[in-house]
Amino acid sequence: MDHHEPEAPSAAQLAAIRRTLTSGRGALTRRSTLRALGAGVLTAGGAAALTACGIPPAKRDGGAEDTDDRSAKEKTVIFSNWTEYMDTGDDKKTRPTLAAFTRRTGISVKYTEDINDNVEFFGKIRPQLAAGQETGRDLINLTDWLAARMIRLGWVQKLDPALLPNAYANLSPQFRRPDWDPGRAHSYPWTGISAVIAYNIRATGGKKVDSVSQLLDDPALKGRVGFLTEMRDTVGMTLLDLGKNPGKFTDADYGEAIGRLQKGVDRKQIRRFHGNDYTADLSKGDIAACVAWAGDVIQLQADNPDIRYAIPAAGYITSTDNLLVPAGARHRANATRLIDYYYERPVAARLAAYINYVCPVEGVSTELGKIDPALARNTLIVPDRAMAAKSHAFRSLSDAEEKAYEEKFAKLIGA
């Protein structure tokens, strides 16, 4: 297998990452919605970090024997995470679930919110990893496309299954088999990220909107429809509507989805392709219906009872943020124990109640109901079996596919 990094990104790829960071998921806080998920596209600086001097990065096998683990002697773990992605106490300073972990195990957690976007963070840790050095971190949280890249490069350690009894038993089936980490040998999801259809029932005149076909074809919605500027979400949802599998599609399938969306542009059915700025327009009714991020829907519904959502019969796109132990981590066992801790249902419930994203822990609803029955019933946080069955992941892309697909998508949306 070729482990060389890709060439410098094309103009379309650079445009895609700028969209993500300025108006898409990368521009937002954790409580409102998500940031860069986009596909391994890189800023100029990030690309330079990956391809500097044309020298391929160091490759490791990423096995459990990768480092001399100091967990038994040093009762600590260093955890880097996104902002607003951990429960806090009423004082907004304490972190109850982390504190409880320390009380139970004696392992202190140095918790840092130093991940602002995937590319920027990769640029921080890449030099050490490429040189075979430790990053100073034992646990990191990355979106699936970058997690896949890290695993492919051998910069992530395999997890010891003996230390993951809760994670192994309680991981939701919909997250068990990503194509980029078979069997979850290197990663476990922190949260799921869903793209759904949202609509303003007042703006639609009381009509339910529940499919991409309706978004693209219903004349009553003409000029008041939105799609996301994140390629995987918009194209993935369209592939599903066409009866294609986003996990196994071909170049021809991708072209068909782009063509379907292009017709919506040409007929002026689609008002615009939007980043996070769609929320105000949807709430006001300027956009009647759109493809939206589930995290936004939860927040919008709290303020506007006219906001509704639908899961298309064809299915919806889900991605993940994932816990990883980087190569060179000094406290591998401690980090693995912390991963497993967040798969205990009471702990997972406390976290889900605070951050309001899809909980990857099967059977969490009973515990979550003790905190807030409404949250336990919310399938955007705890998908029921029917909803989970409709979840699909966008498949991993080769470097050549990524470049070609982003160029086609950029042309579609006028970027």
Side-chain angles (χ1 to χ4, degrees), residues 36-114:
L37 168 64
V41 291
L42 303 172
T43 61
L50 292 174
T51 58
C53 304
I55 301 173
K59 173 70 173 68
R60 301 189 187 208
D61 292 332
E65 71 286 356
D66 187 50
T67 59
D68 178 21
D69 190 28
R70 305 182 186 182
S71 293
K73 296 180 180 179
E74 299 175 4
K75 294 293 186 179
T76 189
V77 60
I78 303 169
F79 183 6
S80 284
N81 204 355
W82 298 79
T83 59
E84 300 291 340
Y85 221 13
M86 179 67 72
D87 58 297
T88 61
D90 293 338
D91 60 4
K92 305 301 181 182
K93 296 179 180 179
T94 56
R95 304 190 182 280
T97 58
L98 288 177
F101 174 78
T102 297
R103 288 194 299 270
R104 182 198 300 181
T105 64
I107 299 170
S108 64
V109 181
K110 181 180 179 182
Y111 183 77
T112 306
E113 294 179 327
D114 61 346

Coordinates of all heavy atoms in Angstrom, one line a residue, residues 36-114:
A36 N -15.3 21.2 10.4 CA -14.8 20.6 9.2 C -14.9 19.1 9.2 O -14.3 18.5 10.1 CB -13.4 21.0 9.0
L37 N -15.6 18.6 8.3 CA -15.8 17.2 8.1 C -15.2 16.8 6.8 O -14.8 15.7 6.5 CB -17.2 16.8 8.2 CG -17.7 15.5 7.8 CD1 -17.1 14.4 8.7 CD2 -19.2 15.5 7.8
G38 N -15.2 17.7 5.9 CA -14.9 17.6 4.5 C -14.0 16.7 3.9 O -13.9 16.5 3.3
A39 N -13.2 15.9 4.1 CA -12.7 14.9 3.2 C -11.2 14.9 3.1 O -10.7 14.5 2.1 CB -13.2 15.1 1.8
G40 N -10.5 15.5 4.0 CA -9.1 15.6 3.8 C -8.6 16.7 2.9 O -7.5 16.7 2.6
V41 N -9.5 17.6 2.6 CA -9.1 18.8 1.9 C -8.3 19.7 2.8 O -8.6 19.7 4.0 CB -10.3 19.6 1.2 CG1 -10.8 18.7 0.1 CG2 -11.3 19.9 2.2
L42 N -7.3 20.4 2.3 CA -6.4 21.1 3.2 C -6.2 22.6 2.8 O -6.3 22.9 1.7 CB -5.0 20.4 3.2 CG -5.0 19.0 3.5 CD1 -3.7 18.4 3.3 CD2 -5.4 18.8 5.0
T43 N -6.0 23.4 3.8 CA -5.5 24.8 3.5 C -4.1 24.7 3.0 O -3.4 23.7 3.0 CB -5.5 25.6 4.8 OG1 -4.6 25.0 5.7 CG2 -6.9 25.7 5.5
A44 N -3.7 25.8 2.4 CA -2.4 25.9 1.9 C -1.3 25.5 2.9 O -0.4 24.7 2.7 CB -2.1 27.3 1.3
G45 N -1.5 26.0 4.1 CA -0.5 25.7 5.2 C -0.6 24.3 5.6 O 0.4 23.6 5.8
G46 N -1.8 23.7 5.7 CA -2.0 22.3 6.0 C -1.4 21.4 5.0 O -0.7 20.4 5.3
A47 N -1.6 21.8 3.7 CA -1.0 21.0 2.6 C 0.5 21.0 2.7 O 1.1 20.0 2.4 CB -1.5 21.5 1.3
A48 N 1.0 22.2 3.0 CA 2.5 22.3 3.0 C 3.0 21.4 4.1 O 4.1 20.8 4.0 CB 2.9 23.7 3.3
A49 N 2.3 21.3 5.2 CA 2.7 20.5 6.4 C 2.7 19.0 5.9 O 3.6 18.2 6.4 CB 1.8 20.7 7.5
L50 N 1.8 18.6 5.1 CA 1.7 17.2 4.7 C 2.7 16.9 3.6 O 3.1 15.7 3.4 CB 0.3 16.9 4.1 CG -0.8 17.0 5.2 CD1 -2.1 16.8 4.5 CD2 -0.6 15.9 6.2
T51 N 3.1 17.9 2.8 CA 3.9 17.5 1.6 C 5.3 18.2 1.6 O 5.9 18.3 0.6 CB 3.1 17.9 0.3 OG1 2.8 19.3 0.4 CG2 1.8 17.1 0.2
A52 N 5.7 18.8 2.7 CA 6.9 19.6 2.7 C 8.1 18.8 2.2 O 8.3 17.7 2.5 CB 7.2 20.0 4.2
C53 N 8.8 19.5 1.2 CA 10.0 18.9 0.6 C 9.8 17.7 -0.2 O 10.7 17.1 -0.6 CB 11.1 18.6 1.7 SG 11.5 20.1 2.7
G54 N 8.5 17.3 -0.4 CA 8.3 16.1 -1.1 C 8.7 14.8 -0.5 O 8.7 13.8 -1.1
I55 N 8.9 14.9 0.8 CA 9.4 13.7 1.6 C 8.2 13.0 2.2 O 7.4 13.6 2.9 CB 10.4 14.1 2.7 CG1 11.6 14.8 2.1 CG2 10.8 12.8 3.5 CD1 12.5 15.3 3.1
P56 N 8.0 11.7 1.9 CA 6.8 11.0 2.5 C 7.0 10.9 4.0 O 8.1 10.8 4.5 CB 6.9 9.7 1.8 CG 8.3 9.5 1.4 CD 8.8 10.8 1.0
P57 N 5.9 11.0 4.7 CA 6.0 10.9 6.2 C 6.4 9.6 6.7 O 6.3 8.6 6.0 CB 4.6 11.3 6.6 CG 3.7 10.9 5.5 CD 4.5 11.2 4.3
A58 N 6.9 9.6 7.9 CA 7.3 8.3 8.5 C 6.1 7.4 8.6 O 5.0 7.8 8.8 CB 8.0 8.5 9.9
K59 N 6.3 6.1 8.5 CA 5.2 5.1 8.6 C 5.5 4.2 9.8 O 6.6 3.7 10.0 CB 5.2 4.3 7.3 CG 4.2 3.1 7.4 CD 2.8 3.6 7.4 CE 1.8 2.5 7.3 NZ 1.8 1.6 8.5
R60 N 4.5 4.1 10.6 CA 4.6 3.1 11.8 C 3.5 2.1 11.6 O 2.5 2.3 10.9 CB 4.3 3.9 13.1 CG 5.2 5.0 13.4 CD 5.0 5.5 14.8 NE 5.7 6.7 15.1 CZ 6.1 7.0 16.4 NH1 5.8 6.2 17.4 NH2 6.7 8.1 16.6
D61 N 3.7 1.0 12.3 CA 2.7 0.0 12.2 C 1.5 0.2 13.2 O 0.4 -0.3 13.0 CB 3.3 -1.4 12.6 CG 4.2 -1.9 11.5 OD1 4.0 -1.5 10.3 OD2 5.2 -2.6 11.8
G62 N 1.7 1.1 14.1 CA 0.6 1.5 15.0 C 0.2 0.4 15.9 O -1.0 0.4 16.4
G63 N 1.0 -0.5 16.3 CA 0.6 -1.6 17.1 C 0.6 -1.3 18.6 O 1.1 -0.2 19.0
A64 N 0.1 -2.1 19.4 CA 0.0 -1.9 20.9 C 1.3 -1.8 21.5 O 1.5 -1.2 22.6 CB -0.9 -3.0 21.5
E65 N 2.4 -2.3 20.8 CA 3.7 -2.3 21.4 C 4.5 -1.0 21.0 O 5.7 -1.0 21.2 CB 4.5 -3.5 20.9 CG 4.9 -3.5 19.4 CD 3.7 -3.8 18.5 OE1 2.6 -4.0 19.0 OE2 3.9 -3.7 17.3
D66 N 3.8 -0.1 20.4 CA 4.4 1.1 19.8 C 5.3 1.9 20.8 O 6.3 2.4 20.4 CB 3.3 2.0 19.2 CG 3.9 3.2 18.4 OD1 4.8 2.9 17.6 OD2 3.5 4.3 18.7
T67 N 4.9 2.0 22.0 CA 5.7 2.8 23.0 C 5.8 2.0 24.3 O 5.1 1.1 24.6 CB 5.0 4.1 23.3 OG1 3.7 3.9 23.8 CG2 4.9 5.0 22.0
D68 N 6.8 2.5 25.1 CA 6.9 2.0 26.5 C 5.9 2.7 27.3 O 6.0 3.9 27.7 CB 8.3 2.3 27.0 CG 8.5 1.9 28.4 OD1 7.8 1.0 28.9 OD2 9.4 2.4 29.1
D69 N 4.8 2.0 27.6 CA 3.6 2.6 28.3 C 4.0 2.9 29.7 O 4.4 2.0 30.4 CB 2.4 1.7 28.1 CG 1.1 2.4 28.6 OD1 1.1 3.6 28.5 OD2 0.2 1.7 29.1
R70 N 3.7 4.1 30.2 CA 4.0 4.5 31.6 C 2.8 4.6 32.4 O 2.9 5.2 33.5 CB 4.8 5.9 31.5 CG 6.0 5.9 30.7 CD 6.7 7.2 30.7 NE 7.8 7.3 29.8 CZ 8.6 8.3 29.7 NH1 8.4 9.4 30.5 NH2 9.6 8.3 28.8
S71 N 1.7 4.0 32.0 CA 0.4 4.2 32.7 C 0.5 3.7 34.1 O -0.1 4.4 35.0 CB -0.7 3.5 32.0 OG -0.9 4.1 30.7
A72 N 1.2 2.6 34.4 CA 1.2 2.0 35.7 C 1.9 2.9 36.7 O 1.6 3.0 37.9 CB 1.8 0.7 35.7
K73 N 3.0 3.6 36.2 CA 3.8 4.5 37.1 C 3.3 5.9 37.1 O 3.5 6.6 38.1 CB 5.2 4.4 36.6 CG 5.9 3.1 36.7 CD 7.3 3.1 36.2 CE 8.0 1.8 36.3 NZ 9.4 1.8 35.7
E74 N 2.7 6.4 36.1 CA 2.2 7.8 36.0 C 0.7 7.8 35.8 O 0.2 7.5 34.7 CB 2.9 8.5 34.8 CG 4.4 8.5 34.9 CD 5.1 9.1 33.7 OE1 4.5 9.5 32.8 OE2 6.4 9.1 33.7
K75 N 0.0 8.1 36.9 CA -1.4 8.0 36.8 C -2.0 9.3 36.3 O -2.6 10.2 37.0 CB -2.0 7.8 38.3 CG -1.6 6.5 38.9 CD -2.3 5.3 38.1 CE -2.0 4.0 38.8 NZ -2.8 2.9 38.1
T76 N -1.8 9.4 35.0 CA -2.3 10.6 34.3 C -2.7 10.3 32.9 O -2.3 9.2 32.3 CB -1.3 11.7 34.3 OG1 -1.8 13.0 33.8 CG2 -0.1 11.4 33.4
V77 N -3.5 11.2 32.2 CA -3.8 11.0 30.8 C -4.0 12.5 30.3 O -4.6 13.3 30.9 CB -5.0 10.2 30.5 CG1 -6.2 10.7 31.2 CG2 -5.3 10.0 29.0
I78 N -3.4 12.7 29.1 CA -3.5 14.1 28.5 C -4.4 14.0 27.3 O -4.2 13.2 26.3 CB -2.1 14.5 28.0 CG1 -1.1 14.5 29.2 CG2 -2.2 15.9 27.4 CD1 0.3 14.7 28.8
F79 N -5.5 14.7 27.4 CA -6.6 14.6 26.4 C -6.9 15.9 25.7 O -7.2 16.9 26.3 CB -7.9 14.2 27.2 CG -9.1 13.9 26.5 CD1 -9.2 13.9 25.1 CD2 -10.3 13.7 27.1 CE1 -10.4 13.7 24.4 CE2 -11.5 13.5 26.5 CZ -11.5 13.5 25.1
S80 N -6.7 15.9 24.4 CA -7.0 17.1 23.6 C -8.4 16.9 22.9 O -8.6 15.9 22.2 CB -6.0 17.3 22.5 OG -4.8 17.9 23.0
N81 N -9.3 17.9 23.0 CA -10.6 17.8 22.5 C -11.0 19.2 21.9 O -10.3 20.2 22.0 CB -11.6 17.4 23.6 CG -12.8 16.8 23.1 OD1 -13.1 16.6 21.9 ND2 -13.7 16.3 24.0
W82 N -12.2 19.2 21.2 CA -12.8 20.4 20.7 C -13.4 21.2 21.8 O -13.7 20.7 22.9 CB -13.9 20.0 19.7 CG -13.4 19.3 18.5 CD1 -13.2 17.9 18.5 CD2 -13.2 19.8 17.2 NE1 -12.7 17.6 17.2 CE2 -12.7 18.7 16.4 CE3 -13.3 21.0 16.6 CZ2 -12.4 18.8 15.1 CZ3 -12.9 21.2 15.3 CH2 -12.5 20.1 14.5
T83 N -13.6 22.5 21.5 CA -14.3 23.3 22.5 C -15.8 23.0 22.7 O -16.4 22.5 21.7 CB -14.2 24.8 22.1 OG1 -14.8 25.0 20.8 CG2 -12.7 25.3 22.0
E84 N -16.3 23.2 23.9 CA -17.7 22.9 24.1 C -18.1 21.5 23.8 O -19.2 21.3 23.3 CB -18.6 23.9 23.4 CG -18.4 25.4 23.7 CD -18.8 25.7 25.1 OE1 -19.6 25.0 25.7 OE2 -18.3 26.7 25.7
Y85 N -17.2 20.6 24.1 CA -17.5 19.2 23.7 C -17.4 18.2 24.9 O -17.1 17.1 24.8 CB -16.5 18.7 22.6 CG -17.1 17.9 21.5 CD1 -18.5 17.8 21.3 CD2 -16.3 17.3 20.6 CE1 -19.0 17.0 20.3 CE2 -16.8 16.5 19.5 CZ -18.1 16.4 19.4 OH -18.6 15.6 18.3
M86 N -17.5 18.8 26.1 CA -17.5 18.1 27.4 C -18.4 18.7 28.3 O -18.6 19.9 28.3 CB -16.0 18.1 27.9 CG -15.8 17.4 29.2 SD -16.0 15.6 29.1 CE -14.5 15.2 28.3
D87 N -19.1 17.9 29.2 CA -20.0 18.4 30.1 C -19.3 19.3 31.2 O -18.1 19.0 31.5 CB -20.7 17.3 30.9 CG -19.8 16.3 31.5 OD1 -19.0 15.7 30.8 OD2 -19.8 16.2 32.8
T88 N -20.0 20.3 31.6 CA -19.4 21.2 32.7 C -20.4 21.4 33.8 O -21.6 21.1 33.6 CB -19.0 22.6 32.1 OG1 -20.2 23.2 31.6 CG2 -18.0 22.5 31.0
G89 N -19.9 21.7 34.9 CA -20.8 22.0 36.1 C -21.5 23.3 36.0 O -21.3 24.1 35.1
D90 N -22.3 23.6 37.0 CA -23.0 24.9 37.0 C -22.1 26.1 37.1 O -22.4 27.2 36.6 CB -23.9 24.9 38.2 CG -25.1 23.9 38.1 OD1 -25.4 23.5 37.0 OD2 -25.6 23.6 39.2
D91 N -20.8 25.8 37.6 CA -19.9 26.9 37.6 C -19.2 27.2 36.3 O -18.4 28.1 36.2 CB -18.8 26.7 38.7 CG -18.1 25.4 38.5 OD1 -18.3 24.7 37.4 OD2 -17.2 25.0 39.4
K92 N -19.5 26.3 35.3 CA -18.9 26.4 34.0 C -17.4 26.2 34.0 O -16.7 26.4 33.0 CB -19.1 27.8 33.3 CG -20.6 28.2 33.3 CD -21.4 27.2 32.5 CE -22.9 27.6 32.4 NZ -23.7 26.6 31.6
K93 N -16.9 25.7 35.1 CA -15.4 25.4 35.2 C -15.1 23.9 35.4 O -14.2 23.3 34.8 CB -14.8 26.3 36.3 CG -14.9 27.7 36.0 CD -14.2 28.5 37.2 CE -14.3 30.0 36.9 NZ -13.7 30.8 38.0
T94 N -15.8 23.3 36.3 CA -15.6 21.9 36.6 C -16.2 21.0 35.5 O -17.1 21.4 34.8 CB -16.3 21.5 38.0 OG1 -17.7 21.9 37.9 CG2 -15.7 22.3 39.1
R95 N -15.6 19.8 35.4 CA -16.0 18.9 34.4 C -16.4 17.6 35.1 O -15.6 16.8 35.4 CB -14.9 18.6 33.4 CG -14.5 20.0 32.7 CD -13.5 19.8 31.6 NE -13.1 21.0 31.0 CZ -13.8 21.8 30.2 NH1 -15.0 21.4 29.8 NH2 -13.3 22.9 29.7
P96 N -17.7 17.4 35.4 CA -18.1 16.4 36.4 C -17.7 15.0 35.9 O -17.3 14.2 36.8 CB -19.7 16.6 36.4 CG -19.9 18.0 36.1 CD -18.8 18.4 35.1
T97 N -17.9 14.6 34.7 CA -17.6 13.2 34.3 C -16.1 13.0 34.4 O -15.7 11.9 34.8 CB -18.1 12.9 32.9 OG1 -17.5 13.8 31.9 CG2 -19.6 12.9 32.8
L98 N -15.3 13.9 34.0 CA -13.8 13.7 34.2 C -13.4 13.6 35.6 O -12.6 12.8 36.0 CB -13.1 14.9 33.5 CG -13.1 14.9 32.0 CD1 -12.3 16.1 31.5 CD2 -12.4 13.6 31.4
A99 N -14.0 14.5 36.5 CA -13.7 14.4 37.9 C -14.1 13.1 38.5 O -13.4 12.5 39.3 CB -14.4 15.6 38.6
A100 N -15.2 12.6 38.1 CA -15.7 11.3 38.6 C -14.7 10.1 38.2 O -14.5 9.2 38.9 CB -17.1 11.0 38.1
F101 N -14.2 10.2 36.9 CA -13.2 9.3 36.5 C -12.0 9.3 37.3 O -11.4 8.2 37.7 CB -12.8 9.6 35.0 CG -11.7 8.7 34.5 CD1 -12.0 7.4 34.0 CD2 -10.4 9.2 34.3 CE1 -11.0 6.6 33.5 CE2 -9.4 8.4 33.8 CZ -9.7 7.1 33.4
T102 N -11.5 10.5 37.7 CA -10.3 10.6 38.5 C -10.6 10.0 39.9 O -9.7 9.3 40.5 CB -9.9 12.1 38.6 OG1 -9.5 12.5 37.3 CG2 -8.7 12.2 39.5
R103 N -11.7 10.3 40.5 CA -12.0 9.8 41.8 C -12.1 8.3 41.8 O -11.6 7.7 42.8 CB -13.4 10.4 42.3 CG -13.4 11.8 42.7 CD -14.6 12.2 43.5 NE -15.8 12.0 42.7 CZ -16.4 12.9 41.9 NH1 -15.8 14.1 41.7 NH2 -17.5 12.6 41.3
R104 N -12.6 7.7 40.8 CA -12.7 6.3 40.8 C -11.4 5.6 40.5 O -11.1 4.5 41.1 CB -13.7 5.9 39.7 CG -13.9 4.3 39.6 CD -14.5 3.8 38.4 NE -15.8 4.4 38.1 CZ -16.5 4.1 37.0 NH1 -16.0 3.3 36.1 NH2 -17.7 4.7 36.8
T105 N -10.6 6.1 39.6 CA -9.4 5.4 39.1 C -8.1 5.9 39.7 O -7.1 5.2 39.6 CB -9.3 5.5 37.6 OG1 -9.1 6.9 37.2 CG2 -10.6 4.9 36.9
G106 N -8.1 7.1 40.2 CA -6.9 7.8 40.6 C -6.1 8.3 39.5 O -5.0 8.9 39.7
I107 N -6.6 8.3 38.3 CA -5.9 8.8 37.1 C -6.4 10.3 36.8 O -7.6 10.5 36.6 CB -6.2 8.0 35.8 CG1 -5.8 6.5 36.0 CG2 -5.6 8.6 34.6 CD1 -6.3 5.6 35.0
S108 N -5.4 11.2 36.9 CA -5.8 12.6 36.7 C -5.8 12.8 35.2 O -5.1 12.2 34.4 CB -4.7 13.5 37.3 OG -3.5 13.3 36.7
V109 N -6.7 13.7 34.8 CA -6.9 14.1 33.3 C -6.5 15.5 33.1 O -7.1 16.4 33.6 CB -8.3 13.8 32.9 CG1 -8.5 14.1 31.4 CG2 -8.8 12.4 33.2
K110 N -5.5 15.7 32.3 CA -5.1 17.0 31.8 C -5.9 17.3 30.5 O -5.6 16.7 29.5 CB -3.6 17.2 31.5 CG -3.2 18.6 31.1 CD -1.7 18.7 30.8 CE -1.4 20.1 30.3 NZ 0.1 20.2 30.0
Y111 N -7.0 18.0 30.7 CA -8.0 18.2 29.6 C -7.7 19.6 28.9 O -7.8 20.6 29.6 CB -9.4 18.1 30.1 CG -10.5 18.2 29.1 CD1 -10.7 17.1 28.2 CD2 -11.2 19.4 28.9 CE1 -11.7 17.2 27.3 CE2 -12.1 19.5 27.9 CZ -12.4 18.4 27.1 OH -13.4 18.4 26.1
T112 N -7.5 19.6 27.6 CA -7.3 20.8 26.9 C -8.2 20.9 25.7 O -8.3 20.0 24.9 CB -5.8 20.8 26.4 OG1 -4.9 20.6 27.5 CG2 -5.5 22.2 25.7
E113 N -8.8 22.1 25.5 CA -9.7 22.3 24.4 C -8.8 23.1 23.3 O -9.0 24.2 23.1 CB -10.9 23.2 24.8 CG -11.8 22.5 25.7 CD -13.0 23.3 26.1 OE1 -12.8 24.6 26.2 OE2 -14.1 22.8 26.4
D114 N -8.0 22.3 22.7 CA -7.0 22.9 21.7 C -7.2 22.4 20.3 O -6.4 22.6 19.4 CB -5.6 22.7 22.2 CG -5.2 21.2 22.2 OD1 -6.1 20.4 22.2 OD2 -4.0 20.9 22.3

